[in-house]
């Protein structure tokens, strides 16, 4: 762990761009880093995030220009609120979805922050990773029994906003299109590079290691860790998806079993004694 005089770090990269490795690396440097896990596992209030996500999705559905402007203003205010809540909770670094989508709001709130744009080798590689992992979460959580559980229902709202925010269509099947993902990835990188001053931006791949991060954050080379953490959660994620799908099957098996039992009870008749 290095000294406490560290600049605030804004992670502007999408999920599945080495964000868990970056999260681990920043924590190793002494940061308290905000990651999707904080929302998923209840470290922060998921309701604030879900309210903001729902407002962002619905901000253009108002009738009339004034109504639409009002909805957009409310959505922007909620986005700033969740960003402030995150900062006030003590986090001084961010990475991963969904906080990366608020990097502009964070830049306004913390003008001297440094930005790290985590990337993969290409949009094609990134989209394949998404489609085999986080791109399946929305579809899973929209199914029973998860859709009946408030926490997962709220998380599904956030997931829906994430894809819509970056320009990927989300239909009732919750399947994502590979070509749209690739375009969204490339457009995002281009927009971040254009909107963040060069002296505040670092474009980073996990294979680059600690050295460029330490240089970007003003950490002396002698205090910079040598070994960068390479945390790949793909296998764990696939196990999570498998368990989730199994839960859906077991849920409906249980429902069918209960209904069958009730029907048997209702249709069962005790033979009457004709002499009684």
């Amino acid at each position: 762990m290095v000294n406490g005089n560290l600049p605030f770090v804004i992670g502007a990269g999408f999920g599945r761009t080495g964000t868990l490795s970056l999260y681990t690396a920043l924590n190793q440097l002494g940061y308290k880093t905000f990651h999707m896990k904080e929302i998923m596992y209840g470290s922060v209030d998921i309701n604030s995030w879900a309210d903001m996500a729902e407002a962002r999705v619905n901000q253009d559905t108002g009738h009339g220009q004034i109504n639409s402007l009002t909805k957009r203003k409310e959505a922007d205010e909620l986005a700033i609120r969740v960003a402030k809540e995150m900062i006030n909770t003590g986090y001084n670094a961010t990475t991963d979805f969904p906080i990366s989508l608020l990097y502009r709001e964070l830049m306004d709130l913390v003008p001297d922050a440094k930005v790290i744009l985590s990337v993969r080798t290409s949009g094609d590689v990134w989209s394949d990773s998404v489609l085999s992992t986080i791109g399946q979460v929305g579809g899973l959580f929209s199914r029973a029994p998860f859709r009946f559980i408030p926490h997962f229902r709220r998380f599904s709202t956030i997931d829906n906003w994430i894809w819509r925010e970056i320009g990927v269509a989300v239909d009732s099947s919750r399947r994502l299109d590979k070509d749209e993902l690739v375009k969204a990835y490339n457009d995002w990188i281009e927009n971040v590079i254009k909107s963040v001053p060069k002296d505040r931006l670092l474009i980073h791949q996990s294979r680059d290691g600690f050295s460029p991060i330490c240089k970007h954050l003003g950490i002396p080379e002698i205090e910079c860790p040598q070994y960068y953490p390479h945390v790949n959660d793909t296998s764990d994620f696939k196990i999570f998806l498998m368990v989730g799908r199994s839960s859906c099957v077991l849920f409906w098996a249980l429902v069918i079993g209960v209904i069958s039992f009730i029907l048997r009870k209702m249709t069962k008749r005790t033979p009457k004694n004709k002499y009684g």
Side-chain angles (χ1 to χ4, degrees), residues 7 18 24 27 39 61 81 127 132 142 153 161 169 174 184 201 204 217 227-228 239-240 256 260 271:
T24 305
N27 286 347
I39 300 174
T61 60
R81 182 185 303 173
S127 64
S132 65
S142 65
R153 192 164 60 244
W161 163 65
R174 301 300 288 264
L201 177 64
H204 185 267
L217 302 181
Y227 300 105
Y228 189 81
I239 292 173
F240 164 77
I256 292 171
S260 298

Side-chain angles (χ1 to χ4, degrees), residues 192-210:
V192 172
I193 292 174
K194 286 181 179 179
S195 60
V196 180
K198 288 184 178 180
D199 62 333
R200 295 176 61 186
L201 177 64
L202 170 67
I203 300 175
H204 185 267
Q205 290 189 45
S206 292
R207 66 186 182 188
D208 298 335
F210 265 118

Side-chain angles (χ1 to χ4, degrees), residues 151-208:
H151 178 81
F152 293 113
R153 192 164 60 244
R154 301 295 268 171
F155 192 88
S156 185
T157 299
I158 298 171
D159 179 82
N160 182 37
W161 163 65
I162 287 173
W163 304 118
R164 291 176 183 271
E165 184 76 4
I166 67 174
V168 177
V170 180
D171 57 22
S172 57
S173 69
R174 301 300 288 264
R175 293 179 181 175
L176 306 179
D177 181 78
K178 179 178 174 63
D179 291 338
E180 289 187 352
L181 286 168
V182 172
K183 183 179 185 304
Y185 174 86
N186 292 329
D187 288 349
W188 183 264
I189 291 176
E190 181 180 347
N191 290 331
V192 172
I193 292 174
K194 286 181 179 179
S195 60
V196 180
K198 288 184 178 180
D199 62 333
R200 295 176 61 186
L201 177 64
L202 170 67
I203 300 175
H204 185 267
Q205 290 189 45
S206 292
R207 66 186 182 188
D208 298 335

Side-chain angles (χ1 to χ4, degrees), residues 7-11 110 112-116 199-201 216-218:
F8 194 98
V9 172
I10 301 172
V110 191
D112 58 347
K114 296 290 187 176
V115 179
I116 298 179
D199 62 333
R200 295 176 61 186
L201 177 64
H216 187 56
L217 302 181

Side-chain angles (χ1 to χ4, degrees), residues 17-25 35 37 95-96 229 231-233:
T17 59
T19 52
L20 188 57
S21 295
L22 180 59
Y23 163 86
T24 305
H35 183 275
K37 297 195 306 179
T95 183
D96 200 40
V231 185
N232 191 333
D233 63 343

Side-chain angles (χ1 to χ4, degrees), residues 104-169:
R104 292 183 181 88
E105 287 82 353
L106 288 170
M107 287 177 65
D108 290 337
L109 292 172
V110 191
D112 58 347
K114 296 290 187 176
V115 179
I116 298 179
L117 175 61
S118 52
V119 297
R120 296 291 289 266
T121 53
S122 70
D124 191 66
V125 171
W126 175 78
S127 64
D128 286 341
S129 177
V130 167
L131 290 171
S132 65
T133 55
I134 62 175
Q136 300 184 39
V137 171
L140 176 63
F141 286 173
S142 65
R143 298 166 59 186
F146 298 105
R147 67 183 180 187
F148 302 130
I149 303 172
H151 178 81
F152 293 113
R153 192 164 60 244
R154 301 295 268 171
F155 192 88
S156 185
T157 299
I158 298 171
D159 179 82
N160 182 37
W161 163 65
I162 287 173
W163 304 118
R164 291 176 183 271
E165 184 76 4
I166 67 174
V168 177

